[in-house]
Amino acid sequence: MQNDDVVVIGAGPGGYVAAIRCAQLGMKTACVDAWVSPGGKPALGGTCLNVGCIPSKALLDSSHHFEHINHHAADHGIAVTGATMDVGKMVARKNKIVATLTQGIAGLFRKNGIDWLQGRARLLGEMRVEIEPTAKQPAQKTVVAARHIIIATGSVPATIPPARVDQTHIVDSTGALDFQQVPGRLGVIGAGVIGLELGSVWRRLGSEVVIFEALPDFLPGADHQIAREALKVFGKQGLDIRLNAKVKTASVAGDAVTVEVGVDSANERETFDRLIVAVGRRPNTAGIGAQEAGIELDERGFVVVDADCRTRVDGVYAVGDAVRGPMLAHKASEEGIAVAELIAGQKPHVALDRIPWVIYTWPEIAWIGATEQALKAAGREYRAGSFPFMASGRARAMGETDGFVKVLGDARTDAILGVHAFGPNTSELIAEAVLAMEFDGSTEDIARTVHAHPTLAEALHEAALGVDGRTLHI
Ligand code: FAD
Ligand code: NAD
């Protein structure tokens, strides 16, 4: 029986990063993964690289170029007529990016001496893991033993009874990355991160997109002022976002999907060419042998862990989407690194309240820390400063003037409590706020930091100045 210092189960951004860090720290490391690409080959990278972050951003970038050429190039004096989109080529480009990156991880595994075990793992207890091969050869199950086990089995799309996913007419996020032509009418259930990102992709390419959201509020987890502004801008772009709209049935007849939706107290029927179900994700922990191994799962299937990702069983840890906290790739990776370092005797820490969020619509939504409504609800005294991109020289030069940045600081200590941004490239801009918060910075620290001119980051600078009423350009 193979014996390792560490066996990692799952090679998404939680698991593969944990495996690399364990190997860097001198541990004999194996990583088991069950992912098989549509071509039938095992692939590393998990949801993020195969059907998540990377492919969705590839399509967002392609569709952004298309929209820019069709609708904004003329503003710059560039005349383009008859631009067309070859969807097959766009999807093939996306697939190539995915293949390059997943093969890159296989290269990193080789470089770091990590043993890639291809198959589905099940915990047997007593620090043993059974592996059922995903490839046809070898056919037998094998068992490996380890001194430490890291569960990083990730998550899968959540489903709802009214809309059964067939991956042809009714698809989940994976199917929505592979449409071979632009749907004429596209329905989306869920105005969350996936609904907005993938809805944006297909709208830019010409779909008429309707998004049904069960809740009365749009993006309730984001700062309300940002969410309100974003809803307005997305509406102008043509995303038809219907709140308080709960899908009751979805049925396929011929090549069409008919959806019955309860909007407020009335029922509406709509017909689409395709329907995306994007109602959240659930932890992928069924069948991993948690019970046999004495690992506790909560009522929703998340592995129960402490602040350092330890499970109830000594030597067994869990990270990423399979445990509490935001279901984000960078959160999964940071936990993977921290667990590896914990095993090596170090004292790492992941601050779950300092994880940035980005929604890759255009403009992008990005934030870190507390929202204004949460501070109000907690009775916390704070000061706010904000700055619109309309008044930014760089944003004007780019022709990207929608949105604003808001900085929230503690009224007494001036500590940064939250930064919220809606605007061009805010996915990059937010990194400065994350760093400032990581260093326990104050809004005055950002205000005193020299920002290159002209940059979009000056909007963050101005918003920080605004906390103390010193904004210069409005
Ligand atoms: P996963 O990436 O889900 O990986 C888990 C791996 O474990 C998989 O390879 C799976 O096959 C394997 N596995 C499961 N069970 C077993 C088993 N029993 N034996 C062996 N292997 C097993 N997050 C962001 O931060 N930014 C984004 O832009 C972003 N975009 C996204 C877009 C989409 C369309 C989707 C669906 C998700 C997106 N996410 C994004 C979320 C992100 O993909 C996840 O948070 C991240 O992948 C979680 O990493 P993980 O390592 O915990 O799990
Ligand atoms: P989500 O939780 O962001 O949004 C799901 C939405 O569906 C919610 O607004 C919910 O109220 C709504 N909903 C649920 N049931 C419904 C129903 N029956 N009818 C209508 N609406 C309903 O989930 P998601 O968009 O599926 O994404 C899953 C997770 O993947 C995200 O939470 C995030 O963690 C991760 N992700 C991150 C990124 C990113 O970081 N940019 C991108 C994509 C996915």
Side-chain angles (χ1 to χ4, degrees), residues 56-57 160 162 189-195 197 212-215 220 245-247 277-281 321 326-328 330 357-360:
S56 59
K57 269 76 240 177
I160 47 168
I189 309 180
V193 197
I194 292 178
E197 290 186 2
F212 300 106
E213 169 57 52
L215 296 177
K246 198 154 186 196
V247 171
V277 182
V279 293
R281 295 180 61 81
D321 281 10
M327 286 179 151
L328 296 172
H330 40 286
W357 274 88
V358 177
I359 306 179
Y360 295 84

Side-chain angles (χ1 to χ4, degrees), residues 208-245:
E208 189 188 323
V209 178
V210 181
I211 305 183
F212 300 106
E213 169 57 52
L215 296 177
D217 293 326
F218 179 61
L219 292 178
D223 187 272
H224 283 175
Q225 199 186 347
I226 296 269
R228 266 199 310 275
E229 182 67 14
L231 183 62
K232 216 162 60 194
V233 172
F234 298 157
K236 272 197 219 145
Q237 292 174 351
L239 277 183
D240 181 353
I241 301 169
R242 302 188 191 169
L243 303 175
N244 252 331

Side-chain angles (χ1 to χ4, degrees), residues 10 13-14 33-34 46-48 52-53 57 121 153-154 284 321 327-330:
D33 193 89
T47 304
C48 171
C53 324
K57 269 76 240 177
T153 52
N284 186 11
D321 281 10
M327 286 179 151
L328 296 172
H330 40 286

Side-chain angles (χ1 to χ4, degrees), residues 64-123:
H64 185 69
H65 287 308
F66 186 68
E67 179 157 84
H68 190 78
I69 288 166
N70 279 322
H71 299 292
H72 305 292
D75 299 343
H76 297 262
I78 305 165
V80 184
T81 45
T84 56
M85 172 54 91
D86 181 337
V87 174
K89 205 163 172 182
M90 175 186 76
V91 170
R93 172 186 177 273
K94 177 265 291 178
N95 291 343
K96 195 166 164 213
I97 293 164
V98 168
T100 306
L101 291 176
T102 56
Q103 285 158 20
I105 296 177
L108 292 174
F109 272 22
R110 281 193 297 278
K111 179 184 151 203
N112 286 284
I114 297 162
D115 195 4
W116 174 11
L117 306 173
Q118 295 164 1
R120 184 158 296 280
R122 196 166 63 87
L123 299 162

Side-chain angles (χ1 to χ4, degrees), residues 1 104 106 109 168-169 176 196 200 210 214 220 225 231 262 279 291 313 328 341 365 378 409 411 422:
M1 185 168 53
F109 272 22
T168 305
H169 295 94
L196 291 173
S200 294
V210 181
Q225 199 186 347
L231 183 62
V279 293
Q291 202 180 2
V313 178
L328 296 172
E341 293 177 350
I365 300 173
F422 175 54

Side-chain angles (χ1 to χ4, degrees), residues 121-357:
R122 196 166 63 87
L123 299 162
L124 295 178
E126 295 171 352
M127 303 307 280
R128 288 170 312 132
V129 177
E130 179 188 76
I131 300 160
E132 186 179 348
T134 28
K136 291 208 171 66
Q137 299 293 333
Q140 293 117 326
K141 292 180 181 174
T142 50
V143 176
V144 295
R147 290 198 298 123
H148 306 276
I149 295 171
I150 304 175
I151 300 168
T153 52
S155 64
V156 289
T159 51
I160 47 168
R164 202 179 57 79
V165 169
D166 60 15
Q167 292 303 26
T168 305
H169 295 94
I170 304 181
V171 302
D172 58 19
S173 56
T174 302
L177 296 169
D178 277 326
F179 289 147
Q180 290 305 308
Q181 56 187 44
V182 180
R185 288 203 90 213
L186 176 64
V188 181
I189 309 180
V193 197
I194 292 178
L196 291 173
E197 290 186 2
L198 296 182
S200 294
V201 165
W202 296 104
R203 181 202 59 75
R204 292 170 191 169
L205 300 182
S207 284
E208 189 188 323
V209 178
V210 181
I211 305 183
F212 300 106
E213 169 57 52
L215 296 177
D217 293 326
F218 179 61
L219 292 178
D223 187 272
H224 283 175
Q225 199 186 347
I226 296 269
R228 266 199 310 275
E229 182 67 14
L231 183 62
K232 216 162 60 194
V233 172
F234 298 157
K236 272 197 219 145
Q237 292 174 351
L239 277 183
D240 181 353
I241 301 169
R242 302 188 191 169
L243 303 175
N244 252 331
K246 198 154 186 196
V247 171
K248 295 186 167 165
T249 61
S251 51
V252 179
D255 209 17
V257 192
T258 299
V259 171
E260 197 189 353
V261 194
V263 182
D264 299 322
S265 55
N267 273 358
E268 286 177 4
R269 280 164 83 84
E270 294 268 2
T271 299
F272 298 101
D273 298 290
R274 295 290 181 269
L275 179 69
I276 304 175
V277 182
V279 293
R281 295 180 61 81
R282 59 178 173 80
N284 186 11
T285 52
I288 62 165
Q291 202 180 2
E292 295 85 330
I295 310 273
E296 190 184 350
L297 301 183
D298 71 14
E299 69 285 354
R300 291 190 295 160
F302 288 101
V303 179
V304 176
V305 290
D306 68 11
D308 292 322
C309 295
R310 290 187 189 89
T311 69
R312 260 185 15 188
V313 178
D314 232 16
V316 181
Y317 306 81
V319 301
D321 281 10
V323 305
R324 83 283 174 269
M327 286 179 151
L328 296 172
H330 40 286
K331 176 263 192 183
S333 296
E334 288 306 321
E335 286 182 335
I337 293 167
V339 165
E341 293 177 350
L342 193 70
I343 293 172
Q346 301 179 11
K347 289 192 169 55
H349 175 62
V350 178
L352 287 180
D353 57 348
R354 290 183 179 181
I355 307 273
W357 274 88

Side-chain angles (χ1 to χ4, degrees), residues 12-38:
Y16 87 74
V17 169
I20 292 174
R21 190 72 189 112
C22 286
Q24 283 177 345
L25 291 163
M27 295 174 237
K28 183 170 179 287
T29 307
C31 183
V32 196
D33 193 89
W35 199 280
V36 179
S37 69

